[in-house]
Amino acid sequence: MKRLIVTADDFGAAHEVNEAVEAAHGGGILTAASLMVAAAAAADAIAGARRLHSLRVGLHIVLLEGRPVLSASALPHLTNGAGLFAANPAVLGTVIASSRAARRELAAEINAQFAAFCDSGLTLDHCNAHQHFHLHPLVGELIAQVGPRFGLRAVRVPLEPAAVLRKVARLTLSPLTALTLPFAMMLRRRLAAAGLAAADRVFGLRWSGQMTRERLAGLIRHLPDGLSEIYLHPATAAYPGSAPGYRYREELEALMAPEVIAAARDSSVRLGGFADFIPCGTAAARRAAAHGGEAPHGA
């Protein structure tokens, strides 16, 4: 059986994103969204998610290019003069690797973001990080330690098989893939040791912000058996702070395209969120149940 999670990242970043999530869930194949709890339109996103009872919502931890949950004065090593996180992952990675005070701030902020999600009243389906910064070993370690206390059961591991991509379109080798692969494998091992689940594979890295309907339909048609996640960045239009060159509206249209919906309706494909696919007997599911999480159920 091909089990598929289709996720929208940056939920709460802007009303344009929230509108796209609601449209793609109601009229397309979107099954999940990852919420930025301190973003400008987070309250609107939470209200929308409460109306969409079948939408699985997770935490999109923001440690780069965003506003923290804690005050900037509590995070002097992590924020700039404008009270925002740094934009450069290499700079931030160096800071937290070299400063014990920065690591204490990092732990406090990650805890605060999980707590803010908990305060929303939504059920925590999964966790990932903006720009996949949880590939940093210290960030991944903290998520594995802190998340289960808030009912965390699954985390995205950004491992994208090039063999599947090549079945959809011509592909050139990416040096970034080789650079991040050891960190992704390390993250997978750390999560498994903590009893946290992850998809077998993730799609959206190579075509981030460029997921056309042809690519999305092709990926679904060529999915291997097992659990896959495809993530996108749908929005009704570009918005303040959006990434240059991202085809937001086109990604929204892809999620609702007839050929994409037809591919997802194949009898071999089952759509859902992480909560729908994690076996009841896993350590992650037992831990989530102890924290009041929903029992997994069919999509």
Side-chain angles (χ1 to χ4, degrees), residues 28-290:
I29 67 164
L30 189 75
T31 60
S34 300
L35 174 67
M36 295 171 146
V37 292
D44 176 69
I46 292 167
R50 288 172 178 162
R51 294 192 300 271
L52 302 172
H53 301 295
S54 56
L55 180 70
R56 300 303 192 188
V57 184
L59 173 62
H60 195 54
I61 290 179
V62 176
L63 301 168
L64 294 162
E65 296 182 326
R67 191 171 299 280
V69 169
L70 298 176
S71 66
S73 61
L75 306 169
H77 295 84
L78 305 183
T79 56
N80 57 28
L84 302 175
F85 291 120
N88 189 318
V91 171
L92 181 57
T94 301
V95 169
I96 60 177
S98 59
S99 169
R100 184 174 298 177
R103 292 194 291 274
R104 287 196 295 267
E105 294 170 18
L106 180 72
E109 175 61 22
I110 288 175
N111 190 86
Q113 291 192 28
F114 272 106
F117 188 100
C118 185
D119 290 344
S120 74
L122 300 174
T123 298
L124 181 62
D125 182 72
H126 62 270
C127 175
N128 50 60
H130 190 50
Q131 295 192 23
H132 292 138
F133 196 60
H134 59 307
L135 285 174
H136 191 292
L138 292 172
V139 177
E141 176 75 16
L142 283 168
I143 289 173
Q145 290 177 0
V146 175
R149 301 204 297 266
F150 293 91
L152 181 65
R153 58 180 73 183
V155 179
R156 178 187 296 161
V157 177
L159 284 168
E160 185 173 51
V164 178
L165 300 182
R166 291 192 186 99
K167 294 178 181 178
V168 179
R170 293 185 63 182
L171 200 65
T172 57
L173 293 177
S174 170
L176 184 61
T177 301
L179 180 66
T180 60
L181 179 60
F183 296 97
M185 296 301 295
M186 186 188 310
L187 176 63
R188 182 181 288 282
R189 289 192 295 269
R190 180 64 190 88
L191 297 175
L196 294 167
D200 299 316
R201 63 199 66 86
V202 172
F203 299 101
L205 284 79
R206 184 66 64 92
W207 295 325
S208 185
Q210 316 292 325
M211 189 66 75
T212 62
R213 61 175 62 193
E214 293 82 9
R215 288 170 173 173
L216 184 55
L219 284 174
I220 296 171
R221 293 191 190 105
H222 291 96
L223 283 178
D225 287 342
L227 180 58
S228 301
E229 181 186 9
I230 302 175
Y231 74 92
L232 304 90
H233 299 85
T236 54
Y239 53 90
S242 59
Y246 269 38
R247 295 147 70 174
Y248 291 100
R249 180 77 194 187
E250 195 168 345
E251 293 208 342
L252 169 59
E253 292 169 353
L255 287 164
M256 303 173 69
E259 62 268 37
V260 170
I261 293 174
R265 284 180 176 168
D266 187 276
S267 60
S268 67
V269 179
R270 181 185 170 203
L271 290 171
F274 280 99
D276 302 298
F277 299 131
I278 299 173
C280 295
T282 64
R286 290 195 300 270
R287 192 178 294 115

Side-chain angles (χ1 to χ4, degrees), residues 18-30:
N18 299 348
E19 290 167 352
V21 167
E22 294 200 38
H25 182 65
I29 67 164
L30 189 75

